[in-house]
Amino acid sequence: MDTPQKQMLLDLKPEQAPTLDNFVVGANAELVERLRGLSDTRSCEALYLWGAHGSGKSHLLQATAAAVEGSRPLLHLRAADAGAGMTPASGTLLVIDDLDELDPEAQIALFRAFNAARFLGLALLLAGSAPPLRLELREDLRTRIGQTLIYEIQSLSDDEKAAALRHHAIERGMLMDPGVVHYLLRHGRRDLPSLMAMLNSLDRASLEQKRPPTLPLLRELMQTSLDLDNQ
């Protein structure tokens, strides 16, 4: 049976629902404004986002879907759930994550959606792990994706990550050792979601163990997490 500490460390789910307002923008301001514009029912734009794991693709897709809900029809799918029957209604925003995992039938359905977009007033928001030319998809679909507005999600600088972590700590009411953020950036995983998750774990451990959120406690947590990963 898992110990409470082990369960705590493995709980990496974000505590806030993704929104466009709580996305740390960095150098992605133009992209975020484009995504806000998809709430307009007159928008028929097609966007493709790509970036490394942890860059925020899924956050942005979920946040945009939440932002448009109620203002226009929405079809939000992971690639594994898309299929031949994918038929967006008129005016729909079609959102698909993990595009490189589409099966052959879903690729055909998406190609048809591209063809019908102009006549049905569709907007498309798609995301994958690589630029369009490197997607392992049928050639006609890859060509269509290459004709969309393409955004590589820009990574945050260390200063931007540090500012985001400090802001997150303030929101949680953490009276944190100033060296915690610096240590996390030097020794933690580089993507912001993992850094935030470890900060959340530090806060929970501090409350459960009635210890301040200091560097010694952070080192203990990170060592325990490393031990679990190596099991």
Side-chain angles (χ1 to χ4, degrees):
M1 182 178 294
D2 289 342
T3 65
Q5 185 182 43
K6 186 172 181 179
Q7 290 172 345
M8 175 188 68
L9 287 169
L10 293 177
D11 179 16
L12 299 181
K13 294 180 180 178
E15 298 185 355
Q16 289 184 317
T19 70
L20 293 175
D21 290 330
N22 64 25
F23 178 73
V24 183
V25 175
N28 299 290
E30 179 185 330
L31 167 58
V32 172
E33 284 308 304
R34 286 279 188 183
L35 296 177
R36 292 187 190 280
L38 293 176
S39 296
D40 188 339
T41 56
R42 297 168 296 179
S43 173
C44 296
E45 289 192 320
L47 281 74
Y48 176 72
L49 319 184
W50 69 279
H53 174 72
S55 61
K57 297 187 301 296
S58 295
H59 180 120
L60 287 173
L61 265 61
Q62 293 174 41
T64 305
V68 307
E69 202 164 9
S71 65
R72 67 185 302 173
L74 173 69
L75 183 55
H76 183 193
L77 302 168
R78 295 186 63 85
D81 301 321
M86 183 174 59
T87 52
S90 177
T92 292
L93 171 63
L94 175 60
V95 181
I96 305 180
D97 203 354
D98 302 321
L99 203 66
D100 16 8
E101 298 178 14
L102 287 175
D103 66 27
E105 291 77 15
Q107 292 181 44
I108 293 171
L110 180 55
F111 182 72
R112 289 174 176 164
F114 267 107
N115 288 341
R118 179 179 176 184
F119 303 102
L120 294 179
L122 306 180
L124 289 86
L125 176 57
L126 313 170
S129 61
L133 286 175
R134 288 169 44 199
L135 293 173
E136 295 185 3
L137 300 172
R138 49 186 288 160
E139 182 61 31
D140 54 1
L141 177 58
R142 189 164 55 237
T143 299
R144 284 301 183 92
I145 296 167
Q147 295 168 348
T148 66
L149 291 169
I150 301 167
Y151 286 91
E152 179 183 4
I153 301 175
Q154 301 300 309
S155 299
L156 298 175
S157 68
D158 280 356
D159 286 346
E160 289 167 335
K161 290 176 184 177
L165 289 168
R166 292 190 187 100
H167 179 73
H168 187 64
I170 290 170
E171 286 191 329
R172 292 182 69 97
M174 292 177 68
L175 298 175
M176 193 170 57
D177 186 328
V180 163
V181 168
H182 180 67
Y183 189 87
L184 264 177
L185 289 171
R186 290 196 62 187
H187 301 283
R189 295 176 182 173
R190 299 298 300 163
D191 62 286
L192 188 61
S194 295
L195 293 168
M196 290 284 196
M198 185 53 71
L199 194 64
N200 291 344
S201 292
L202 176 63
D203 189 27
R204 288 194 293 270
S206 173
L207 294 172
E208 290 178 4
Q209 299 181 31
K210 296 180 172 59
R211 295 170 58 187
T214 57
L215 272 177
L217 180 56
L218 176 62
R219 291 191 185 102
E220 289 177 24
L221 289 174
M222 293 182 72
Q223 183 58 51
T224 304
S225 181
L226 182 62
D227 292 342
L228 292 175
D229 288 342
N230 291 332
Q231 286 180 4

